[in-house]
Every structure is written in C-alpha cells, then in structure tokens.
C-alpha cells in the first residue's frame, strides 16, 4: 500500500500515479552517442506540438517540461527502456537514412509485420 500526501495536489477520478525511475547516466550517454546529439545535448530546447499535426486536440503530457535540455528530458522524464510502440517506429522512418533500416521499420509497422514486431519487440516487456 502506498500513501501519498500532497496538500496542493489536484486530482480527479480516474487519474493514475506512476513512478518513473531515472535512467542511468551510462544509458543516457549511450543514447546521446547513438543519436549523435552531443553538440546539442546540454543546450536548452522547447517542446511543442507541431503546427502541422493531424491529431485532434493534441497536447503535451503534463509531466513533460516545456523547456529543458535533451539530457534532462532523457535522464529524468522519458522511459528509454520501454518497448517502442508502432507510432514511434513509424515516426523514425522519415528520419532514417539507411535504406535497409528504413525497410525494417516500415515492415515492423505494417499489418504484415505484426508477428515480427511481437517476436522482436513484444518479448522485451
């Protein structure tokens, strides 16, 4: 049983609480290196919903800071150990330059790739 006392904490029926542990320094550094973002890793950035989004009523999650650094976002606010969902894989396709990787991502996002997705990524849960 967990007791949570927060006098100024406003909540509504159906709200949930989750505990997200910080990602380790080593994991965050590996991610920075893999994404080749060292030159902007500690620079301040702003998060916003794209003006061209097709999603109705799109909004940032309330737990994400609007202004931060990539280092702070990846270390304290994002679960980099979570199994990537298909929408994330779809969004990576347009930023992938290696054609073989692009084909793999497209296949994993497709209906036909559902079994492959479950085999490769579903078992990581």
């Amino acid at each position: 049983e967990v007791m949570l006392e927060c006098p100024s904490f406003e909540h509504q029926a159906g709200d949930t609480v989750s505990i997200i542990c910080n990602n380790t320094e080593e994991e965050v550094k590996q991610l920075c290196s893999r994404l080749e973002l060292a030159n902007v890793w500690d620079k301040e950035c702003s998060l916003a919903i794209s003006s061209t989004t097709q999603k109705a009523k799109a909004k940032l999650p309330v737990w994400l800071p609007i202004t931060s650094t990539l280092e702070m976002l990846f270390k304290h606010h994002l679960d980099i150990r979570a199994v990537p969902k298909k929408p994330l894989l779809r969004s990576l396709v347009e930023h992938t330059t290696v054609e073989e990787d692009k084909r793999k991502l497209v296949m994993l996002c497709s209906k036909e790739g559902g079994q492959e997705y479950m085999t490769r990524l579903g078992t990581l849960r």
Side-chain angles (χ1 to χ4, degrees):
E1 182 175 324
V2 175
M3 298 297 294
L4 180 64
E5 290 185 35
C6 299
S8 63
F9 181 70
E10 294 182 28
H11 61 280
Q12 299 174 355
D15 284 354
T16 60
V17 174
S18 69
I19 298 170
I20 299 177
C21 299
N22 288 343
N23 297 305
T24 68
E25 190 72 33
E26 182 180 333
E27 290 171 325
V28 172
K29 283 181 179 179
Q30 286 176 342
L31 184 63
C32 173
S33 175
R34 179 74 172 130
L35 296 175
E36 299 177 358
L37 293 171
N39 60 330
V40 294
W41 197 244
D42 59 354
K43 304 270 191 264
E44 189 173 281
C45 61
S46 297
L47 298 178
I49 301 295
S50 172
S51 60
T52 61
T53 187
Q54 301 288 321
K55 187 173 180 181
K57 299 182 183 178
K59 61 181 182 178
L60 289 173
V62 296
W63 44 265
L64 276 178
I66 294 172
T67 304
S68 186
T69 64
L70 292 175
E71 179 180 25
M72 293 300 286
L73 286 170
F74 282 104
K75 186 165 187 184
H76 300 293
H77 301 286
L78 302 173
D79 184 1
I80 62 175
R81 294 181 207 105
V83 176
K85 305 233 181 334
K86 286 186 178 187
L88 173 61
L89 298 180
R90 257 184 239 110
S91 68
L92 293 174
V93 170
E94 65 186 78
H95 301 286
T96 303
T97 56
V98 178
E99 283 303 315
E100 182 181 343
D101 292 343
K102 195 176 275 200
R103 278 194 304 278
K104 286 178 187 175
L105 286 171
V106 168
M107 186 272 303
L108 289 171
C109 296
S110 70
K111 216 179 237 188
E112 298 78 21
Q115 185 59 46
E116 183 75 13
Y117 174 88
M118 290 306 294
T119 301
R120 287 180 178 232
L121 302 172
T123 58
L124 297 175
R125 294 179 184 185

